[in-house]
Amino acid sequence: MSKRLLLVGAGHSHLEVLRQLKATPIRNVDVCMISPSKYQYYSGMFSGFTEGIYSEEETRIDITKLTKDAGVQLIQKKAHTLKALQRKVVCGDGSVYPFDVISFDIGSESLPLSFEDTIARTIKPNHRFIDQMKELRETSQPLIVGGGAAGTEMALSMQAYKQQNRIPGQVRLITADRILSESPKWISSKLEKLLLNKGVHVWKDERVEDIYEQYVRTDQGNKVRHTGVLWLGGARGDAIFERSSIDTDQKGFALVRPTLQFKDYDYIFGAGDCVTLIDFPSLPKSGVYAVRQGPVLWENLNKYLTGGQPMDTYVPQKSALYILSTGGKKGFLIYGPLSSHTHRAWKMKNKIDREFMAEYQ
Ligand SMILES: Cc1cc2nc3c(=O)[nH]c(=O)nc-3n(C[C@H](O)[C@H](O)[C@H](O)COP(=O)(O)OP(=O)(O)OC[C@H]3O[C@@H](n4cnc5c(N)ncnc54)[C@H](O)[C@@H]3O)c2cc1C
């Protein structure tokens, strides 16, 4: 009798699983993918889209085609609850999908629950990004909350778009600490200067406490006016794990072993932003790691389903290269303590991103 493998989410690691399945199907295994959208949008190109460099088609991968080519059934729904012991997933519409083995690559949420009923937008789920950004970048005072890599890059890209298209006003950015607080201080200062030179209005060491239609109120008592809020204030786990009594870290990310198996279940796997590695709890939530986990996830799903041993283990690389697009086809490259701001860095980013997309488009 055949077994069923359920892939939940079309994140980076699952794209690799689909690619491998196309080349090497697993005998006697039916594979289904649950994904709310038929497209997977690639966050590495969000900045380029925002600035007007890439088209919508260039930033997305057609999951319908990828699953079809891989012999995988696509279920266009959102998983809502995992019944781990019964090996079933319940989707938002109440439909139930049994499985023998399941794998999660569903990314993260960002908006704190207390702001869920406000007008704040988030980039997740990422298929909503395009429409949200098209609207926001045309307004006069878009406000970004969060001064991490994503917030900084989006502020610079939106500002570049506004300047190139002569849209009056300026982008605003509020961050609870310094810009890119996880980098050395000199990198933070360089990026802060860059934001200011480009005309982005920055409030740092300030926390947004309330969000209203026309302004936000901060813990410093400031009222900052806006024409739309994009929340990029850090990742938190999808509520599905808490709802399903899965062991998570404090932010709600499912805990996984080096084999990418959930802490308490051998038949539940996970990769990308939605999981935290028990051995590397502070690893940043970044696409770089989700991509590298893909081949290990594929190997281990395959081995688990076919009885192969021993399982592979994932060990993250010590340093990751980050290139933030800063507008006008320039990039700010960060590698450990090193940084540079050049057109060459942007070209490198463009090449890496286009090569990644070419693998799956
Ligand atoms: C603006 C921005 C720019 C960024 N730039 C970079 C960059 O240049 N380099 C980098 O390394 N990282 C970057 N990141 C971080 C990067 O986006 C994430 O780390 C990465 O997307 C995580 O990949 P993932 O595979 O975990 O999930 P995702 O890419 O988020 O994909 C998850 C998928 O699962 C689906 N899904 C979600 N919930 C469910 C559900 N319940 N049921 C079924 N499907 C579901 C989603 O619709 C989505 O298709 C950026 C982030 C942002 C916000």
Side-chain angles (χ1 to χ4, degrees):
M1 217 176 85
S2 66
K3 292 180 185 165
R4 179 186 266 184
L5 166 64
L6 211 50
L7 303 171
V8 184
H12 295 68
S13 304
H14 280 177
L15 293 178
E16 178 61 13
V17 172
L18 289 180
R19 196 176 69 94
Q20 296 277 5
L21 275 169
K22 182 182 168 191
T24 329
I26 314 175
R27 274 167 62 95
N28 295 327
V29 175
D30 291 331
V31 189
C32 299
M33 172 173 274
I34 299 181
S35 167
S37 167
K38 58 182 183 175
Y39 296 110
Q40 166 71 352
Y41 287 83
Y42 176 53
S43 59
M45 289 175 121
F46 282 178
S47 51
F49 173 82
T50 299
E51 193 185 338
I53 295 172
Y54 305 128
S55 67
E56 178 169 355
E57 281 66 35
E58 283 173 308
T59 64
R60 70 186 187 189
I61 293 160
D62 185 349
I63 305 299
T64 323
K65 181 174 181 310
L66 212 57
T67 46
K68 192 167 167 236
D69 291 351
V72 171
Q73 187 196 342
L74 177 63
I75 301 161
Q76 209 181 315
K77 292 183 183 177
K78 192 166 180 198
H80 181 266
T81 316
L82 166 68
K83 295 195 182 289
L85 292 172
Q86 297 167 36
R87 300 200 193 203
K88 286 178 180 160
V89 158
V90 184
C91 286
D93 63 354
S95 50
V96 179
Y97 295 90
F99 60 83
D100 296 288
V101 177
I102 192 166
S103 174
F104 286 87
D105 185 8
I106 57 173
S108 57
E109 297 287 334
S110 65
L111 194 64
L113 291 174
S114 53
F115 292 137
E116 260 187 356
D117 293 329
T118 67
I119 50 104
R121 307 151 201 247
T122 69
I123 271 176
K124 309 279 173 166
N126 63 17
H127 60 268
R128 288 211 319 241
F129 163 74
I130 297 286
D131 289 339
Q132 300 206 0
M133 185 47 66
K134 275 185 188 162
E135 212 181 289
L136 199 57
R137 67 187 180 182
E138 300 294 333
T139 72
S140 61
Q141 291 172 327
L143 171 65
I144 288 175
V145 183
T152 305
E153 193 180 42
M154 293 313 289
L156 288 164
S157 306
M158 236 195 285
Q159 183 72 3
Y161 177 85
K162 283 168 72 62
Q163 281 169 354
Q164 284 156 27
N165 294 280
R166 297 181 198 286
I167 297 164
Q170 64 177 163
V171 176
R172 311 181 137 206
L173 187 149
I174 302 184
T175 187
D177 30 45
R178 58 189 165 88
I179 300 295
L180 242 71
S181 59
E182 277 161 27
S183 293
K185 277 194 174 155
W186 66 89
I187 291 184
S188 294
S189 330
K190 276 190 194 174
L191 276 166
E192 191 185 332
K193 265 190 208 133
L194 187 63
L195 284 158
L196 297 174
N197 287 343
K198 298 266 182 181
V200 176
H201 196 145
V202 179
W203 287 260
K204 52 177 189 164
D205 300 315
E206 239 176 294
R207 190 173 289 277
V208 170
E209 297 223 307
D210 294 299
I211 302 176
Y212 301 99
E213 292 250 329
Q214 290 175 351
Y215 67 91
V216 300
R217 200 175 49 77
T218 73
D219 60 356
Q220 309 288 316
N222 277 324
K223 281 183 177 178
V224 179
R225 291 189 72 81
H226 66 76
T227 48
V229 176
L230 179 62
W231 190 280
L232 290 166
R236 66 173 171 84
D238 191 294
I240 189 170
F241 298 129
E242 208 186 308
R243 215 180 279 134
S244 313
S245 304
I246 292 295
D247 235 342
T248 63
D249 69 3
Q250 284 176 340
K251 290 186 173 169
F253 298 109
L255 293 170
V256 293
R257 292 173 264 160
T259 52
L260 302 178
Q261 286 165 297
F262 275 30
K263 186 169 155 260
D264 300 320
Y265 300 93
D266 285 352
Y267 51 87
I268 306 181
F269 291 74
D273 277 12
C274 70
V275 300
T276 286
L277 293 157
I278 296 165
D279 294 346
F280 298 92
S282 336
L283 195 72
K285 301 295 176 197
S286 160
V288 174
Y289 301 108
V291 169
R292 294 283 179 97
Q293 286 166 7
V296 177
L297 180 67
W298 159 250
E299 278 299 320
N300 287 353
L301 286 172
N302 207 335
K303 283 181 177 166
Y304 191 81
L305 283 157
T306 57
Q309 287 293 340
M311 301 284 255
D312 287 8
T313 52
Y314 169 75
V315 180
Q317 72 251 48
K318 288 221 167 67
S319 303
L321 172 75
Y322 291 97
I323 304 175
L324 310 188
S325 179
T326 59
K329 297 195 175 174
K330 265 184 110 172
F332 193 95
L333 179 150
I334 305 169
Y335 190 69
L338 307 175
S339 72
S340 68
H341 185 214
T342 57
H343 284 289
R344 206 162 145 219
W346 186 87
K347 273 191 192 155
M348 198 191 296
K349 174 174 168 55
N350 180 51
K351 186 167 178 285
I352 294 169
D353 290 338
R354 284 195 184 274
E355 279 175 2
F356 175 82
M357 293 301 273
E359 295 265 339
Y360 305 106
Q361 269 174 333

